[in-house]
Amino acid sequence: MTSTIDQPDTAAPGAGDTGAAGPGPDLRHHGDAEVRTPGLVDLAVNVRTGTPPAWLREHLADTIAGLAAYPEQSAARAAVAARHGRPEDEVLLTAGAAEAFVLLARVLTPRQAVVVHPQFTEPEAALRDAGHQVGRVVLTPGNGFRLTAGAVPESADLVVVGNPTNPTSVLHPAAALTALARPGRTLVVDEAFIDTVPGEHESLAALRGLPGQVVVLRSLTKTWGLAGLRIGYVLGPAPLITALSAAQPLWPVSTPALAAAEACSAPAALAEAERAAAATALQRTHLLKGLAVLPAVRVHGDPAASFVLVELPDAAAVRLRLRDAGFAVRRGDTFPGLGPDWLRIAVRDEGTTDRFLAALASVLG
């Protein structure tokens, strides 16, 4: 069953590392907070290991000689536009997808904003920071956290949804998302993890001409290991892109980040990303098979991204015991719609996964 909740502005700073519940989910808690203790094996952050690849590191290093000049976006913007088959005026380069959420919150003036949860919390946090009231459509594990017809209020004029969704790893059909588009509504689809899906099927990035304003956000962070560089982009109608651009500061994206956007949009890089997505799918299957033999652990739905959401009793305590065993996983209670019995686990190579599964079995035993 899917429920719609009108959520007042009660989000508050969350509790500490015990995982105890506070007045509301800590919308500013992110996976990197789980791995600040040296020596932990990182299954909390969804950035692909072994990245950036050597060729990309070398390419970025070559940009240092040009740092005396101000950044110039035209080549990177053209490359991203060509990669998705869109005009250049429908592309906005940003300092990561997180900047895009802030820009949208500052530029848009929704009467009724709705965020589909559980999902990445930064969109709601940005909207609240900009003074907007935010309603929550909370998807439930009973139907595998899938978006169902009628879940989103017809009166909502701003809808934000992730695909595939963080933390549930659910990939919504493109048809279910395009059904949400209508005149007078801005539909924002966060596709930060779509490049972890082989073929990027169900992506809306190349679709144009849908009713209303359909905005797609993309990130280069996860597949290419560029979280510290801050590079992402927005795809959407040209008038909205112009308005969002006007809200940015001058030179918002650095020269190395622009070089990354251009390089990672090239055919050879896209082919490499596709191979990485296929490898991730096999590694995810290995993780799921290992989790399936642990009676206390439940996986809901059909995970499609580079992470898996699990439900297990007293997960908050299990997370702390896993830390003692050397593994960091992402707590689930900071995502609206989840609670202390949920953890998010990043997909890793089979050897790392096997060591983690052994530690988890020991902790549960």
Side-chain angles (χ1 to χ4, degrees), residues 12 29 78 90 222 289 309 319:
H29 182 88
E90 294 183 357
K222 282 59 180 182
K289 286 180 178 178
L309 181 68
R319 182 179 67 89

Side-chain angles (χ1 to χ4, degrees), residues 50-364:
T51 55
W55 68 265
L56 183 54
R57 293 198 304 269
E58 293 169 5
H59 184 66
L60 295 177
D62 289 343
T63 68
I64 293 175
L67 292 185
Y70 286 95
E72 206 288 309
Q73 292 196 6
S74 57
R77 194 175 187 185
V80 171
R83 182 248 193 277
H84 294 291
R86 302 184 72 126
E88 292 180 31
D89 61 1
E90 294 183 357
V91 176
L92 180 71
L93 301 170
T94 59
E99 187 203 5
F101 291 125
V102 172
L103 294 173
L104 288 164
R106 291 176 177 174
V107 168
L108 298 175
T109 56
R111 298 182 307 277
Q112 184 178 0
V114 164
V115 178
V116 179
H117 284 290
Q119 83 145 12
F120 184 51
T121 53
E122 200 62 32
E124 180 172 329
L127 286 166
R128 292 186 183 280
D129 288 347
H132 302 294
Q133 293 291 316
V134 183
R136 292 175 181 167
V137 171
V138 180
L139 307 182
T140 63
N143 70 341
F145 294 109
R146 292 205 167 275
L147 189 64
T148 56
V152 174
E154 193 62 33
S155 54
D157 58 348
L158 172 60
V159 179
V160 184
V161 60
N163 202 40
T165 303
N166 172 20
T168 65
S169 199
V170 168
L171 183 66
H172 301 293
L177 298 177
T178 57
L180 296 176
R182 54 195 38 37
R185 171 182 288 177
T186 299
L187 172 64
V188 179
V189 183
D190 175 11
E191 292 188 352
F193 290 99
I194 197 73
D195 59 355
T196 70
V197 177
E200 296 190 3
H201 62 92
E202 314 305 342
S203 172
L204 302 191
L207 291 185
R208 304 174 63 226
L210 293 169
Q213 296 189 122
V214 177
V215 180
V216 174
L217 275 54
R218 300 292 291 256
S219 170
L220 301 180
T221 294
K222 282 59 180 182
T223 288
W224 297 110
L226 298 176
L229 193 62
R230 310 309 306 139
I231 177 63
Y233 52 89
V234 184
L235 306 170
L240 178 59
I241 293 297
T242 298
L244 296 174
S245 178
Q248 285 183 307
L250 292 174
W251 312 290
V253 181
S254 71
T255 295
L258 293 172
E262 183 179 0
C264 294
S265 298
L270 297 178
E272 181 177 332
E274 181 67 13
R275 292 192 296 272
T280 295
L282 293 175
Q283 293 163 355
R284 184 180 62 247
T285 297
H286 184 77
L287 171 60
L288 290 170
K289 286 180 178 178
L291 293 171
V293 304
L294 300 175
V297 178
R298 294 189 64 191
V299 177
H300 298 273
D302 186 15
S306 56
F307 47 89
V308 173
L309 181 68
V310 300
E311 182 183 19
L312 68 163
D314 204 14
V318 170
R319 182 179 67 89
L320 296 181
R321 292 198 290 271
L322 283 170
R323 292 179 71 84
D324 291 339
F327 292 89
V329 295
R330 173 65 158 88
R331 61 192 285 188
D333 62 329
T334 64
F335 292 100
L338 301 181
D341 289 340
W342 297 88
L343 297 173
R344 192 190 70 197
I345 304 165
V347 173
R348 298 291 187 241
D349 64 272
E350 286 83 353
T352 300
T353 293
D354 287 342
R355 292 192 295 274
F356 165 73
L357 290 169
L360 179 59
S362 176
V363 164
L364 294 176

Side-chain angles (χ1 to χ4, degrees), residues 37-59:
T37 301
L40 292 175
V41 177
D42 177 12
L43 279 76
V45 177
N46 296 320
V47 174
R48 184 164 62 102
T49 57
T51 55
W55 68 265
L56 183 54
R57 293 198 304 269
E58 293 169 5
H59 184 66

